[in-house]
Amino acid sequence: MVSTAMSDEATSLSNDPAVLKAMIAALQAENQKMSASLRAHDLLVQALRVRIARLQKQKFGSSSEKIEREIEQLELALEGLQVALAEAEDQSQDDDDEPETENQAPEPVEARDPRRRRPKVSKDTPRERRELDPGDNCPDCGGDLRVVGEDVSELIDMISAQLKVIEIARVKKSCRRCEKIVQKPAPSRPIPRSMAGPNLLAYVLTSKFDDHVPLYRQNEIFARMGADIPDTTLVDWCGGAMKTLAPLIGKIETEIMASDLLHADDTPIRVLDRGRRDKGLGKGVKKGRIWAYVRDQRPWAGTAPPGAVYRFAPDWREEHVLAHLGETRGILQAPSRGLKTNHCRAMDGYKGYAKLYAADPDGKSQFREAACWAHLRRDFHDVWTATKSEIAREALDRIGALYDIERQISGRPAKQRQAVRQKESKPKADAFQNWAERQLTRIPGKSDLAKAFRYGLSRWPAFTLFLDDGRVAIDNNPAERALRPIGVGRRNWLFAGSDTGGETLARAMTVIETAKMNGLDPQAYLADVLDRIHDHMNNRLAELLPWNWSPTDQSRNEAA
């Protein structure tokens, strides 16, 4: 039957070349659609594989480096498929269609792809107008043309970065009367006796510590700009710039660590251990830690500016965190120590904070503990994902109700937040406590679900501290957000070269992330500070802190 049908179609083909060309074009279009469909299916499969790998990571623990590498490889493959799919899509438009602009009316919601959004640029972005004028005379009759309007579309383009050499010529002059030689003093440089200017140093620092581009790759980028800057020179520049910024970074650390309300968290970082080089490939590496201490009063309209302090330590011993927080008092929101389970991640927290919460002989403690509801919620989510437990599902719903209230009061003053929490959140939290205690009598005591309940109930005063103090957050997400750049960086530089390299990374992250939290472009900020800091009086160094800083031109205008 099939061969007969194909034979009939072949005999019915037209001999007209135009018809045959149209049939070929139709078949080609259908083939492109089928190829696009296959690519879309491949994209879906890869996305699902990434999701599965992430769930495996959550289930078996965040220390599995094999799963970490698999996730990174799958994400790269997913990105490649997305680019290939975008390339294959027909993005051409009819002649009458205009390119997208910010001035056009928005597309209907149902017609918009939820994965895509129109690109936006800052209002300070330079604009260039290119006017296409049809002339003064009509092309048909030769009559005079008058302006009746214009159609405007926009094209986002980029000006490539380029290096420039600044020649500093200090003219010498002699007095005709007394022969005195007069010459302007040499201007200060960010790094004494170095050729690197402030903008170049700021570019190198932000590329390395914010964009996570290793110095050897920066060497290749500069080569494309026509400059041969050896890796060793870039290393010296980074070290010299960080030394120049050291007083400012120290002042940031002092300001942030003096806060009476801090978020804290830590993450591992691989450090090259030169004492173990003989152990073989991959064995000469040890695990250090990066701590983040965050002050962020924006959720309760506090007056202190936000900032983050990063500290490196060669291991996870409690003595490090005790030293970091030795001069600080108040409320600390940090991961708590609990019980390790098969599915729960927050149960295996860090025990180094326990001494900070312990009472002294007078009954006073250095810190009051504020627990993180997000960690507890993840524990129940992990149990629900693994077992589909209805009790775990209800726990998630009850915790979600607390977060619904938090979203409504975000950004309000602390007293208003406290009042709302006492009226709306406290009854829900009390009901959760009573319900949790009842569930413990119904479920196996050694189950992961029971361990999650006991973890929350055993630290109930810490979990409910946010109800009594409007300044306290419901979770520790500010500290977790502060550590995300470290996770991104690990994919690029794999490990720190030494303990001192880890310390340099922590100081650089302190100034860069604090600048970003205060709404600054870290590269512009560092360039201006590096240009001014040597000529700035030490007793006015606070003017260069990210939350006080203003660009050079603005500072001069204010002084005038």
Side-chain angles (χ1 to χ4, degrees):
M1 291 292 293
V2 175
S3 60
T4 303
M6 292 181 64
S7 178
D8 293 341
E9 289 180 5
T11 56
S12 63
L13 286 175
S14 172
N15 293 326
D16 187 347
V19 175
L20 293 174
K21 287 182 179 179
M23 293 178 64
I24 292 172
L27 289 172
Q28 288 176 337
E30 184 177 355
N31 184 48
Q32 289 180 352
K33 290 181 179 179
M34 293 176 63
S35 298
S37 178
L38 288 174
R39 281 191 291 269
H41 281 88
D42 287 341
L43 198 65
L44 177 61
V45 169
Q46 289 290 343
L48 291 174
R49 289 179 64 189
V50 170
R51 177 62 179 159
I52 291 170
R54 284 176 173 157
L55 289 175
Q56 288 176 335
K57 176 175 179 283
Q58 294 173 1
K59 181 176 180 181
F60 296 113
S62 58
S63 61
S64 175
E65 295 181 2
K66 180 179 179 181
I67 294 178
E68 285 275 8
R69 288 194 296 269
E70 181 183 358
I71 291 174
E72 293 170 10
Q73 292 168 0
L74 288 174
E75 286 176 337
L76 287 173
L78 179 62
E79 183 179 279
L81 282 168
Q82 289 172 329
V83 172
L85 183 61
E87 181 182 4
E89 288 179 349
D90 184 11
Q91 297 184 352
S92 61
Q93 299 176 329
D94 296 336
D95 292 339
D96 293 337
D97 291 342
E98 290 295 334
E100 59 183 11
T101 74
E102 294 183 356
N103 299 324
Q104 288 178 337
E107 301 174 8
V109 174
E110 60 272 15
R112 192 178 300 160
D113 188 339
R115 296 171 301 172
R116 296 180 179 177
R117 62 179 179 85
R118 183 168 295 145
K120 296 181 179 179
V121 295
S122 166
K123 62 180 181 180
D124 299 325
T125 303
R127 287 182 173 269
E128 174 185 329
R129 179 179 170 91
R130 298 181 182 179
E131 192 171 287
L132 306 180
D133 193 328
D136 298 326
N137 301 108
C138 176
D140 290 342
C141 68
D144 294 337
L145 296 178
R146 67 179 186 276
V147 177
V148 294
E150 63 180 13
D151 294 325
V152 179
S153 61
E154 293 179 351
L155 180 72
I156 299 177
D157 208 350
M158 181 174 178
I159 303 172
S160 299
Q162 63 179 11
L163 297 172
K164 68 177 180 180
V165 177
I166 300 175
E167 292 185 355
I168 302 173
R170 298 164 55 217
V171 178
K172 290 183 179 180
K173 295 183 177 180
S174 65
C175 178
R176 295 181 182 273
R177 179 179 301 175
C178 67
E179 300 298 328
K180 177 181 175 63
I181 301 296
V182 180
Q183 186 181 34
K184 284 282 188 180
S188 62
R189 300 188 178 211
I191 304 174
R193 298 180 299 278
S194 171
M195 292 182 64
N199 289 284
L200 177 56
L201 288 174
Y203 175 86
V204 172
L205 289 178
T206 52
S207 295
K208 177 174 174 58
F209 296 111
D210 192 30
D211 300 329
H212 312 292
V213 181
L215 295 181
Y216 77 90
R217 293 184 188 169
Q218 293 193 47
N219 169 267
E220 297 172 357
I221 294 172
F222 287 129
R224 292 198 297 269
M225 298 181 188
D228 179 15
I229 305 178
D231 298 359
T232 53
T233 301
L234 292 173
V235 168
D236 292 339
W237 287 356
C238 282
M242 291 304 299
K243 184 177 180 179
T244 298
L245 294 170
L248 182 66
I249 297 173
K251 200 162 188 63
I252 293 174
E253 293 173 343
T254 301
E255 291 274 348
I256 299 302
M257 300 305 287
S259 175
D260 60 354
L261 175 60
L262 285 176
H263 294 267
D265 204 352
D266 64 278
T267 189
I269 176 177
R270 300 177 67 191
V271 182
L272 192 63
D273 188 351
R274 302 186 184 278
R276 303 171 61 185
R277 286 180 296 180
D278 57 342
K279 300 296 182 180
L281 183 63
K283 300 294 181 63
V285 174
K286 64 180 180 181
K287 185 179 289 187
R289 309 294 296 194
I290 291 280
W291 272 270
Y293 300 99
V294 179
R295 178 179 71 187
D296 191 353
Q297 300 183 359
R298 291 173 293 183
W300 50 275
T303 58
V309 171
Y310 295 80
R311 295 284 175 82
F312 168 82
D315 51 55
W316 209 19
R317 287 183 291 185
E318 64 181 28
E319 63 191 54
H320 302 300
V321 72
L322 296 179
H324 299 164
L325 296 168
E327 302 299 324
T328 309
R329 300 288 187 276
I331 297 174
L332 181 65
Q333 197 144 21
S336 304
R337 183 177 182 234
L339 300 171
K340 186 175 182 180
T341 71
N342 294 329
H343 304 295
C344 299
R345 293 163 291 167
M347 298 297 186
D348 190 25
Y350 178 59
K351 65 180 181 180
Y353 301 109
K355 290 184 178 180
L356 299 172
Y357 305 136
D360 60 19
D362 297 331
K364 299 180 180 180
S365 60
Q366 182 178 348
F367 282 101
R368 296 169 65 195
E369 178 186 5
C372 176
W373 281 87
H375 279 83
L376 184 61
R377 180 174 59 179
R378 289 173 201 160
D379 295 339
F380 287 114
H381 180 270
D382 288 344
V383 174
W384 181 81
T385 302
T387 65
K388 300 302 178 185
S389 164
E390 290 300 324
I391 296 177
R393 177 71 261 178
E394 185 173 348
L396 290 173
D397 292 340
R398 287 174 177 268
I399 296 174
L402 294 175
Y403 272 88
D404 290 340
I405 299 171
E406 290 301 305
R407 279 188 284 271
Q408 297 173 9
I409 61 176
S410 178
R412 295 189 187 180
K415 289 186 178 180
Q416 291 185 21
R417 285 159 60 91
Q418 181 186 6
V420 173
R421 285 170 171 174
Q422 288 291 316
K423 179 181 178 181
E424 301 182 22
S425 301
K426 191 176 187 303
K428 296 182 184 298
D430 293 341
F432 179 90
Q433 181 186 23
N434 296 331
W435 173 79
E437 291 172 345
R438 293 196 303 271
Q439 303 313 306
L440 280 176
T441 64
R442 300 173 49 198
I443 59 179
K446 293 184 178 181
S447 67
D448 291 344
L449 184 57
K451 293 176 182 178
F453 277 123
R454 283 198 296 270
Y455 171 72
L457 292 173
S458 66
R459 318 192 77 84
W460 195 246
F463 274 103
T464 55
L465 180 60
F466 82 103
L467 299 174
D468 301 321
D469 192 331
R471 303 174 305 156
V472 178
I474 192 173
D475 54 39
N476 197 33
N477 285 349
E480 294 187 5
R481 286 194 297 268
L483 288 175
R484 286 176 186 168
I486 303 294
V488 175
R490 280 195 297 251
R491 301 181 184 183
N492 293 275
W493 32 260
L494 299 180
F495 50 77
S498 63
D499 287 351
T500 55
E503 293 167 359
T504 300
L505 169 64
R507 291 196 300 272
M509 295 288 293
T510 295
V511 65
I512 289 174
E513 293 302 317
T514 299
K516 290 162 65 175
M517 291 179 72
N518 285 273
L520 303 180
D521 173 0
Q523 184 173 331
Y525 169 69
L526 289 176
D528 187 72
V529 168
L530 287 167
D531 189 35
R532 297 162 58 183
I533 193 167
H534 282 312
D535 300 323
H536 211 79
M537 290 185 291
N538 288 335
N539 60 357
R540 294 175 55 190
L541 190 61
E543 296 175 353
L544 299 182
L545 290 169
W547 48 84
N548 295 331
W549 172 81
S550 58
T552 303
D553 292 341
Q554 182 177 340
S555 300
R556 289 172 180 169
N557 293 336
E558 291 175 353

